[in-house]
Amino acid sequence: MSRVYVSIGSNIDRERYIRAALAQLQQHYGPIEQSAVYESEAIGFDSEPFYNLVVGFDTGESPKQVSATLCEIEAVNGRTRDSSGLAARTLDLDMLLYDDLVLKEGKLSLPRDDITRYAFVLGPLAEIAGERRHPVSGQRFDALWSAFDSSAQELRRVWIPQVSE
């Protein structure tokens, strides 16, 4: 079994789609570990704020199979893709890590570059996988988060009943 971490984001009917993603991931993969849910502003385009979190789960699927499942869950939940990628979305599921695999194959890139680029990815990842190490830099995620300048990317923890603790 491999440990996979996935970033979940939504800025359209946020609570509904976050709940749907968690339910569908749990139905497909079994027990999932999840970070708190955070609200953050859209980056790179003008839109409503996002809800974001990170989940971890174990799977016997290959990275390509996990990626296909994530795309299927997005599609079932009304995700449409703008050619630029910078648009409001019902659901955004991005595989961040697949064990310690380093892979660049088509659109699939592991570990995902967003980990060290965005507070809404690194913060929640460090919350549930702080002791794990980045497969390329070797740094622990909690150390990366401690050193991250999040002043331009404020995270606000939000509580969604039966989703957050």
Side-chain angles (χ1 to χ4, degrees):
M1 296 291 271
S2 297
R3 186 67 171 179
V4 175
Y5 290 92
V6 172
S7 175
I8 303 174
S10 174
N11 76 334
I12 297 174
D13 202 357
R14 303 176 298 184
E15 190 172 323
R16 171 185 171 200
Y17 288 111
I18 293 294
R19 287 177 182 277
L22 290 169
Q24 291 164 20
L25 286 167
Q26 189 163 13
Q27 181 178 12
H28 189 86
Y29 293 107
I32 58 173
E33 177 182 19
Q34 78 173 64
S35 72
V37 179
Y38 295 90
E39 183 179 58
S40 63
E41 299 302 318
I43 296 176
F45 64 104
D46 203 19
S47 189
E48 295 298 313
F50 278 82
Y51 277 177
N52 296 96
L53 69 151
V54 169
V55 298
F57 53 84
D58 296 317
T59 183
E61 292 181 346
S62 72
K64 283 185 181 180
Q65 290 170 314
V66 173
S67 183
T69 298
L70 298 179
C71 286
E72 183 179 312
I73 292 171
E74 288 175 334
V76 165
N77 286 284
R79 169 74 188 264
T80 56
R81 298 196 183 273
D82 180 90
S83 60
S84 74
L86 299 177
R89 56 203 69 165
T90 56
L91 199 54
D92 189 20
L93 302 176
D94 295 319
M95 185 171 20
L96 304 173
L97 297 165
Y98 183 98
D99 281 336
D100 293 327
L101 183 64
V102 177
L103 173 74
K104 290 204 185 297
E105 195 171 286
K107 291 184 177 186
L108 185 56
S109 181
L110 296 168
R112 191 167 176 93
D113 291 341
D114 293 354
I115 292 171
T116 55
R117 190 177 300 156
Y118 299 116
F120 62 82
V121 176
L122 182 56
L125 179 62
E127 185 178 312
I128 64 170
E131 75 291 343
R132 292 186 72 96
R133 294 185 180 274
H134 191 285
V136 175
S137 72
Q139 293 180 278
R140 288 173 47 127
F141 291 113
D142 54 5
L144 287 168
W145 179 236
S146 291
F148 189 85
D149 178 7
S150 60
S151 61
Q153 298 180 28
E154 181 184 347
L155 294 181
R156 296 171 296 280
R157 189 174 179 155
V158 295
W159 184 76
I160 299 175
Q162 299 177 359
V163 172
S164 300
E165 297 151 338

